[in-house]
């Protein structure tokens, strides 16, 4: 089920290693020129206990930099409770508009009437495929739903550090992409999206990605930080091959800001029932806990970061939020180590501290 999110992603796909014709986002955020800056990332927290537990453990061990949580899903409350007790971690909202499983499904927070809502199928569940949602979804219903998901995460005591589109459905249409990026700017929460350089635009079009001029313009107008590159941990037919392919992926990363997404999960009979590619998920949990992998990463000339640090660097470099608060007021709040939404105490890294790293011990 969960590996369906690879199929729906257009902008957030593994891209060819092309030369950048402009300054990378890593450089814009103050990292040294030519450096590879990486977010080790996991999504689908809250979808089930089998996904949430290893994500929590890997965050606590320092072997993941960032995760996102699915607020319409059954295990959201358990993950939210853990997050309130561990507010130092980098947690975003996985904007969930599809429910791809056969038997294990979820409903939206809004638009529950299957006779009138464009967000649900005749049984009242979210559409199973990206294409169904892309053909049926009313943009204003999408806007209300993703705002409701963000609000639910905040109400649960989590100040989200970024927005991530589950299954990439918000990249399917220009109007949905615009809503996604407008929502990010309105809430001052960065969206996971790539910088569309001329080389990437050509690469996407050469590979049949329907990237319209309007979509390109929408991404160019977006003002918050973007990724220079994005990848999923490669699939393979054995753990050893998967680990080797991960090594090759990391060694081949270009300079810039890159997010590498994994899907760690605990093996169980439930996981096997709900996730067709469950073995890949189990191996990805093994990968992130593998001492050999930690030793490999330790030898790479890579800087690790997360979305919270990215936004702090962006604001310190002059990025200003529209509206009454302004960047200066937000920096004051952050300096007091307090969450501006729910007044929960959070720890914000400062530039005088060592840069974020992966725990290799």
């Amino acid at each position: 089920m969960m590996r369906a999110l690879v199929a729906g992603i257009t902008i957030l796909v593994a891209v060819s290693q092309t030369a950048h014709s402009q300054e990378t986002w890593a450089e814009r955020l103050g990292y040294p020129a030519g450096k590879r800056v990486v977010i080790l990332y996991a999504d689908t927290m809250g979808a089930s206990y089998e996904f949430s537990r290893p994500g929590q453990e890997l965050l606590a061990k320092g072997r993941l930099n960032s995760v996102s949580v699915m607020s319409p899903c059954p295990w959201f409350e358990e993950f939210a409770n853990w997050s309130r007790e561990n507010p130092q971690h980098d947690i975003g909202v996985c904007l969930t508009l599809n429910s791809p499983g056969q038997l294990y499904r979820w409903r939206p927070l809004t638009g529950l009437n299957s006779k009138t809502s464009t967000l649900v199928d005749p049984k009242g569940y979210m559409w199973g495929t990206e294409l169904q949602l892309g053909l049926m979804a009313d943009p204003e219903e999408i806007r209300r739903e993703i705002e409701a998901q963000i609000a639910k995460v905040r109400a649960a005591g989590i100040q989200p550090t970024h927005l991530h589109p589950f299954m990439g459905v918000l990249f399917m249409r220009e109007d949905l992409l615009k809503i996604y990026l407008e929502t990010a700017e309105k809430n001052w929460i960065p969206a996971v999206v790539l910088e569309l350089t001329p080389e990437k635009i050509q690469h996407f079009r050469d590979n049949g990605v329907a990237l319209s001029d309007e979509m390109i313009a929408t991404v160019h107008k977006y003002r918050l930080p973007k990724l220079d590159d994005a990848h999923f941990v490669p699939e393979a037919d054995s753990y050893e091959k998967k680990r080797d392919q991960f090594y090759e992926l990391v060694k081949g990363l270009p300079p810039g800001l890159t997010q590498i997404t994994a899907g760690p999960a605990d093996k169980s009979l439930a996981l096997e029932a709900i996730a067709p590619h469950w073995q890949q998920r189990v191996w990805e949990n093994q990968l992130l806990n593998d001492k050999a992998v930690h030793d490999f990463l330790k030898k790479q000339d890579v800087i690790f970061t997360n979305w919270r640090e990215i936004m702090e660097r962006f604001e310190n470099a002059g990025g200003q939020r529209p509206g009454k608060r302004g960047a200066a007021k937000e920096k004051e709040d952050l300096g007091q180590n307090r969450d501006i939404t729910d007044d929960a105490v959070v720890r914000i890294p400062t530039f005088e501290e060592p840069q974020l790293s992966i725990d290799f011990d």
Side-chain angles (χ1 to χ4, degrees):
M1 176 187 72
M2 294 302 175
R3 277 297 168 182
L5 50 84
V6 176
I9 292 211
T10 56
I11 294 178
L12 279 177
V13 297
V15 298
S16 61
Q17 311 304 320
T18 57
H20 287 245
S21 60
Q22 61 187 43
E23 186 180 40
T24 68
W25 266 101
E27 292 171 307
R28 296 187 211 181
L29 294 169
Y31 293 102
K35 282 292 186 180
R36 298 175 299 164
V37 182
V38 173
I39 306 167
L40 278 181
Y41 186 80
D43 54 9
T44 63
M45 299 297 105
S48 77
Y49 184 72
E50 286 83 359
F51 298 128
S52 293
R53 194 216 62 82
Q56 294 164 359
E57 179 183 64
L58 291 162
L59 280 173
K61 289 181 177 179
R63 293 173 182 177
L64 279 175
N65 303 133
S66 181
V67 301
S68 60
V69 63
M70 303 169 73
S71 61
C73 295
W75 281 89
F76 170 76
E77 294 299 337
E78 186 275 338
F79 186 84
N81 182 65
W82 177 87
S83 300
R84 287 191 294 271
E85 296 173 355
N86 298 272
Q88 72 275 22
H89 295 302
D90 191 86
I91 298 169
V93 184
C94 187
L95 298 173
T96 307
L97 299 165
N98 285 97
S99 182
Q102 293 290 323
L103 300 174
Y104 183 61
R105 309 191 66 192
W106 40 76
R107 306 176 191 272
L109 304 182
T110 63
L112 297 177
N113 189 335
S114 61
K115 294 183 179 180
T116 59
S117 174
T118 65
L119 303 184
V120 299
D121 66 15
K123 294 183 178 180
Y125 295 104
M126 289 181 175
W127 293 106
T129 70
E130 308 94 295
L131 180 59
Q132 288 172 312
L133 184 70
L135 290 173
M136 299 296 295
D138 175 81
E140 290 309 310
E141 289 190 40
I142 291 285
R143 189 190 300 273
R144 289 194 294 271
E145 176 63 23
I146 64 178
E147 287 283 10
Q149 292 184 19
I150 295 168
K152 181 176 179 179
V153 170
R154 284 174 160 162
I158 303 169
Q159 175 58 26
T161 60
H162 63 282
L163 305 178
H164 173 81
F166 180 58
M167 296 176 67
V169 71
L170 292 170
F171 297 129
M172 290 189 66
R173 290 173 12 194
E174 193 277 331
D175 58 345
L176 301 186
L177 175 61
K178 186 176 180 181
I179 288 169
Y180 174 47
L181 299 184
E182 285 178 349
T183 302
E185 290 190 353
K186 173 187 172 183
N187 289 276
W188 205 239
I189 305 172
V192 176
V193 65
L194 281 180
E195 181 68 62
L196 293 180
T197 64
E199 294 87 357
K200 283 193 173 64
I201 293 169
Q202 188 60 50
H203 172 77
F204 286 130
R205 288 177 169 170
D206 289 346
N207 286 273
V209 176
L211 199 59
S212 68
D213 291 340
E214 291 77 13
M215 294 179 76
I216 295 168
T218 296
V219 173
H220 285 336
K221 290 176 184 176
Y222 173 68
R223 296 171 295 166
L224 296 181
K226 304 174 195 147
L227 296 171
D228 295 303
D229 208 353
H231 295 271
F232 289 94
V233 173
E235 294 194 358
D237 57 12
S238 73
Y239 172 71
E240 290 72 23
K241 289 181 180 179
K242 191 178 191 73
R243 184 175 61 187
D244 290 344
Q245 290 180 24
F246 177 72
Y247 289 167
E248 292 305 309
L249 170 62
V250 174
K251 288 188 287 189
L253 292 177
L257 179 61
T258 298
Q259 181 166 290
I260 301 176
T261 301
D266 286 333
K267 184 177 180 180
S268 73
L269 292 177
L271 181 70
E272 293 180 28
I274 66 177
H277 297 272
W278 63 267
Q279 183 65 77
Q280 300 295 325
R281 294 283 195 162
V282 172
W283 283 339
E284 285 166 30
N285 190 18
Q286 183 179 349
L287 182 83
L288 293 169
N289 280 292
D290 191 332
K291 184 178 184 303
V293 173
H294 303 154
D295 292 342
F296 163 78
L297 290 173
K298 189 174 182 180
K299 296 175 183 177
Q300 298 302 301
D301 186 21
V302 170
I303 298 171
F304 293 98
T305 191
N306 62 23
W307 283 102
R308 181 178 287 166
E309 183 181 63
I310 287 167
M311 275 302 284
E312 185 180 75
R313 284 177 172 266
F314 176 71
E315 291 179 336
N316 283 354
Q320 295 187 8
R321 177 177 186 169
K324 297 180 180 180
R325 302 188 62 83
K329 178 59 178 172
E330 295 215 10
K331 288 179 187 177
E332 177 184 340
D333 289 329
L334 291 175
Q336 295 171 355
N337 286 344
R338 302 198 66 82
D339 183 290
I340 62 174
T341 300
D342 56 35
D343 206 35
V345 176
V346 296
R347 181 178 181 277
I348 306 296
T350 65
F351 294 131
E352 287 72 27
E353 297 174 341
Q355 289 175 326
L356 206 70
S357 64
I358 292 293
D359 185 354
F360 300 105
D361 298 325

